[in-house]
Amino acid sequence: MQVERSALLQDRKNEVMISVQNVSKHFGQIKALDQISFEVKCGEILGFLGPNGAGKTTAMRILTGFFPPTSGKVWIDGREFFKDPRQAKRTIGYLPETLNLYPDMRVREFLKFVAELRQVAGKKRRSHLDEILSRCGLWNVKHRLIGFLSKGYRQRVGLAQALIGDPSVVILDEPTSGLDPKQIIEIRSLIRELGRERTLILSTHILPEVSMVCDRVLIINQGKVVASGTVDELEAGLKEQHQIYVAIGDIGKKEDALNLLHSLEGAEQICITDEKAQEVGFSLIVPKGLDLRPIISRLFVEHQIPLLEIRSARLSLEEIFMKIVVDETRSGAAL
Amino acid sequence: MKNSWVLAWKDLTSYFRSWTGVLACFFFLVIAGVFLSLLVISFAHLSMEASRGPADSFQGLGLTRFVFGSFFLNIGTILIFLVPILSMRAFAEERRHQTLELLFTYPFSDFEIVWGKYLGMIFFFQILTLPILFFVWFVHGLGLTLDWGPIAFGFLGFWLLGCAYLSLGLFISSISENQVISAIVTFGCLLIFWILEWVAGVADGSWAHFFAALSPIRHYRDFTFGIFDMSDFVYFCFFNLYFLFLTLRAIETRNWKG
Ligand SMILES: Nc1ncnc2c1ncn2[C@@H]1O[C@H](COP(=O)(O)OP(=O)(O)O)[C@@H](O)[C@H]1O
Ligand SMILES: [Mg+2]
């Protein structure tokens, strides 16, 4: 069955699976989502990245049909979601952010209940359940009470629940929050594996998780999409820039060095980043594709400034994220 | 509608997974049994005295009316304590386990969820009331002649009253943060409905009519007398529909953060 699915996905690789257009959600005065639009392709793993309160959960709740948006439209697999929510919900599996499940039910019994609710045909139910139990590593605990499972195992039950009925889209809200490092690693590898056969959306406020798991990232802040692209695209440079760091070994030549740097074509945001004893460090932002390092080192040698270090630093995803979020918040506050 | 059955079945079994269900059954049966025994014993006393004294003073007061009329009226009062315990779990429990959010994303409508929850409670209530038939059979086995009509109506009335109370409890559960609040508020509301009958007794004129019309006990009383009045039946249907509707509204808003 797995093979079939992967083949099917290959065929539909470039089709749009989910399309969100100008969706807003207001809670009274609070605009939890403000005119967001994005698309997800078949078989893609999309990450929602954003600080707490950004609107990730709200966006996912709309995508799962938990509540309708205040305005805007959602299409799943070519059909408008809220015209026929029942049909749309069949194509979607969801793992909410916090989930305790029924502590007094046994793992298999609970999954069977879900299978009945998700209308898995009676004949297929048995084998379907067995397959999901073993894929999620729950085979050995299938007769245990959910209340007695560890948080990591409970999360697996939550994940298993989202897979029942073989939905083509799976949505996971902060699937690794509250787990210990070992459990996080296990759940992440499970997610990666699941992503091979279906369209997957997951939200997180942890950066490394995005680069580890996702094909594409959507950065959300204060209810708006502030950036989107593959991890590489985002890392390749915010606004097509990168950073150069220069350190000299003579504090007396500080002014000379600054003047030289200012005289360079294309260099921006030149500033002193650190000063200790005789050492001074500078940083400057240059457009991508313009490498000023050879020129800088030649100029400094010509002017007898002792050059200690010169390196180019790519802005990391973390810096991009911080920059976007901080910039946005600042401009939002200024308005 | 099949989904409602699945949900109802899960809720029904969940009563028996915890002690709630078993204890509720146990206490209900013990108390109902004690009531019935007391009534049968006092009837025996009365009829003995009657046979000794002037003949026809108790002729009009039949066994069925005396024993089962009072019996149904009394166990109606037990419901005020029982229903909050049965209904508190319905939504408050799902909310606590955060499973309500899951249910809302499964492929069925809000109405099916409400209906499933309601059916689950009714099924359990059904199981609870079945032993009453055994009580009837037992009294019959004592060699006493019973009038079956009033007993059937009494039973129907009791069942309708239970369903009505449960629908109220379901609504309270759907707007409560947790089980304890749900149980307390439901108990309070049932108490108010119960008191309406007294209010109707002391009020006068059209107010008395008004409160009597609202009081579930007034309508139930007719059933325990073996009287079937269409207006009583309609009253209970409306009571149920009204609270089911409110429940549906309450869960449609989804106004919690979770
Ligand atoms: N039911 C609700 N009622 C009122 N405000 C809400 C509700 N749900 C979310 N919010 C608000 O919407 C914003 C986005 O929340 P959320 O989507 O949960 O963020 P995230 O999941 O990214 O942390 C927050 O400011 C939150 O307080
Ligand atoms: Mg969230």
Side-chain angles (χ1 to χ4, degrees):
Chain A
M1 195 173 86
Q2 230 163 299
V3 181
E4 266 170 55
R5 232 186 195 293
S6 317
L8 199 71
L9 267 186
Q10 276 303 320
D11 289 349
R12 306 187 53 188
K13 201 75 197 173
N14 283 314
E15 275 177 49
V16 175
M17 191 67 198
I18 299 174
S19 168
V20 172
Q21 290 185 4
N22 300 323
V23 163
S24 300
K25 180 79 187 177
H26 301 175
F27 297 106
Q29 291 299 308
I30 305 170
K31 286 186 179 173
L33 288 180
D34 190 9
Q35 297 278 331
I36 68 164
S37 303
F38 61 89
E39 282 185 347
V40 191
K41 298 237 166 65
C42 255
E44 197 171 33
I45 305 186
L46 177 73
F48 281 1
L49 181 62
N52 280 328
K56 303 181 295 289
T57 302
T58 308
M60 296 192 138
R61 282 179 167 177
I62 289 172
L63 286 177
T64 52
F66 174 84
F67 46 36
T70 310
S71 65
K73 293 212 166 93
V74 178
W75 276 272
I76 302 263
D77 209 1
R79 276 186 295 262
E80 197 181 331
F81 198 113
F82 291 92
K83 280 222 175 105
D84 186 3
R86 191 184 294 249
Q87 180 55 39
K89 284 171 175 182
R90 258 182 219 137
T91 49
I92 287 182
Y94 177 46
L95 172 65
E97 188 169 3
T98 48
L99 187 59
N100 273 326
L101 302 167
Y102 307 104
D104 54 3
M105 278 179 115
R106 292 171 198 282
V107 174
R108 194 171 193 287
E109 179 191 21
F110 169 68
L111 293 177
K112 182 163 164 276
F113 165 67
V114 177
E116 282 168 9
L117 287 180
R118 297 197 61 116
Q119 288 137 21
V120 176
K123 282 168 280 170
K124 281 198 295 178
R125 208 177 288 151
R126 234 193 132 79
S127 58
H128 187 55
L129 283 181
D130 288 349
E131 190 200 319
I132 286 176
L133 280 170
S134 52
R135 288 200 66 186
C136 295
L138 290 167
W139 190 260
N140 293 327
V141 297
K142 63 180 172 173
H143 294 307
R144 289 246 209 112
L145 284 175
I146 293 174
F148 291 150
L149 294 179
S150 69
K151 184 105 183 21
Y153 269 101
R154 233 177 303 151
Q155 195 72 343
R156 282 166 189 241
V157 179
L159 210 54
Q161 162 277 135
L163 298 178
I164 288 199
D166 212 11
S168 39
V169 180
V170 171
I171 296 181
L172 312 170
D173 198 356
E174 312 227 357
T176 56
S177 72
L179 301 183
D180 68 36
K182 182 165 164 282
Q183 295 168 336
I184 289 181
I185 291 169
E186 287 167 0
I187 291 283
R188 274 187 198 148
S189 71
L190 195 54
I191 292 172
R192 273 174 100 57
E193 197 183 308
L194 295 175
R196 272 197 223 119
E197 309 148 30
R198 41 175 72 73
T199 312
L200 214 143
I201 301 181
L202 66 94
S203 77
T204 177
H205 61 269
I206 309 162
L207 271 157
E209 191 155 287
V210 164
S211 39
M212 264 181 259
V213 183
C214 304
D215 299 329
R216 205 155 63 84
V217 193
L218 215 60
I219 302 182
I220 300 181
N221 191 36
Q222 297 189 332
K224 294 200 183 79
V225 177
V226 291
S228 87
T230 63
V231 174
D232 283 341
E233 274 166 19
L234 287 178
E235 269 183 346
L238 170 72
K239 296 183 199 116
E240 305 282 286
Q241 289 166 338
H242 72 258
Q243 192 185 27
I244 291 178
Y245 177 81
V246 186
I248 59 170
D250 183 356
I251 199 155
K253 298 271 168 82
K254 193 170 82 180
E255 292 303 315
D256 285 353
L258 262 181
N259 286 338
L260 279 176
L261 291 176
H262 274 291
S263 72
L264 292 168
E265 192 104 347
E268 275 177 35
Q269 297 184 30
I270 299 155
C271 59
I272 297 168
T273 53
D274 51 299
E275 256 177 83
K276 50 180 185 230
Q278 283 295 308
E279 283 182 40
V280 188
F282 305 88
S283 89
L284 53 155
I285 306 273
V286 296
K288 201 176 153 208
L290 176 65
D291 199 350
L292 292 177
R293 280 176 299 177
I295 304 171
I296 294 174
S297 52
R298 202 186 64 230
L299 276 177
F300 277 30
V301 171
E302 278 170 12
H303 289 79
Q304 292 168 353
I305 302 170
L307 186 62
L308 294 182
E309 191 182 348
I310 182 162
R311 64 184 151 85
S312 162
R314 259 190 3 162
L315 290 173
S316 71
L317 190 57
E318 191 126 16
E319 282 163 307
I320 295 171
F321 178 55
M322 283 313 295
K323 198 161 159 44
I324 290 172
V325 168
V326 170
D327 282 358
E328 278 288 318
T329 313
R330 215 180 275 145
S331 67
L335 282 176
Chain B
M1 280 302 120
K2 188 167 166 288
N3 296 309
S4 300
W5 284 91
V6 175
L7 266 181
W9 179 253
K10 190 224 74 186
D11 277 9
L12 179 63
T13 51
S14 88
Y15 279 117
F16 294 102
R17 282 198 202 101
S18 68
W19 285 99
T20 327
V22 180
L23 286 181
C25 277
F26 178 75
F27 281 113
F28 178 75
L29 290 182
V30 167
I31 297 171
V34 168
F35 276 174
L36 190 67
S37 320
L38 290 176
L39 284 166
V40 170
I41 291 167
S42 60
F43 180 79
H45 276 292
L46 283 176
S47 49
M48 256 195 299
E49 273 166 32
S51 62
R52 253 185 267 126
D56 50 40
S57 57
F58 285 103
Q59 285 307 8
L61 195 62
L63 166 71
T64 311
R65 169 89 178 267
F66 183 86
V67 174
F68 283 99
S70 321
F71 173 69
F72 280 122
L73 211 52
N74 281 315
I75 58 173
T77 315
I78 306 179
L79 287 182
I80 294 176
F81 301 92
L82 187 71
V83 165
I85 296 168
L86 299 190
S87 68
M88 67 180 183
R89 321 192 58 187
F91 282 105
E93 180 93 339
E94 299 271 354
R95 194 166 292 189
R96 187 162 71 93
H97 299 144
Q98 284 121 358
T99 40
L100 200 52
E101 184 165 355
L102 275 185
L103 292 185
F104 287 147
T105 61
Y106 289 160
F108 43 79
S109 64
D110 289 358
F111 176 72
E112 282 172 284
I113 297 180
V114 173
W115 188 241
K117 288 274 155 199
Y118 180 64
L119 279 186
M121 297 191 311
I122 304 272
F123 287 165
F124 182 75
F125 180 61
Q126 194 77 281
I127 292 177
L128 207 67
T129 51
L130 279 180
I132 291 179
L133 296 180
F134 171 79
F135 288 167
V136 176
W137 173 78
F138 182 75
V139 174
H140 180 66
L142 291 176
L144 301 167
T145 42
L146 294 174
D147 192 356
W148 295 105
I151 291 179
F153 281 128
F155 193 78
L156 174 68
F158 180 65
W159 194 78
L160 286 173
L161 185 72
C163 294
Y165 282 180
L166 285 171
S167 70
L168 175 92
L170 185 71
F171 169 62
I172 306 285
S173 177
S174 76
I175 54 171
S176 307
E177 276 295 309
N178 63 53
Q179 297 190 44
V180 178
I181 294 176
S182 169
I184 292 172
V185 176
T186 308
F187 178 69
C189 290
L190 291 179
L191 215 53
I192 291 171
F193 272 111
W194 187 55
I195 289 169
L196 276 183
E197 201 204 6
W198 300 357
V199 177
V202 295
D204 45 24
S206 53
W207 282 109
H209 277 291
F210 175 72
F211 287 120
L214 275 186
S215 158
I217 305 293
R218 272 292 159 98
H219 294 281
Y220 177 47
R221 199 177 284 273
D222 285 346
F223 280 103
T224 64
F225 288 161
I227 304 164
F228 182 78
D229 184 341
M230 203 56 200
S231 69
D232 298 328
F233 188 72
V234 170
Y235 168 85
F236 283 116
C237 289
F238 263 111
F239 198 104
N240 276 284
L241 285 179
Y242 182 64
F243 283 107
L244 286 179
F245 173 74
L246 286 186
T247 311
L248 191 59
R249 289 268 83 154
I251 70 161
E252 266 172 0
T253 59
R254 317 256 206 275
N255 59 351
W256 72 87
K257 293 193 181 181

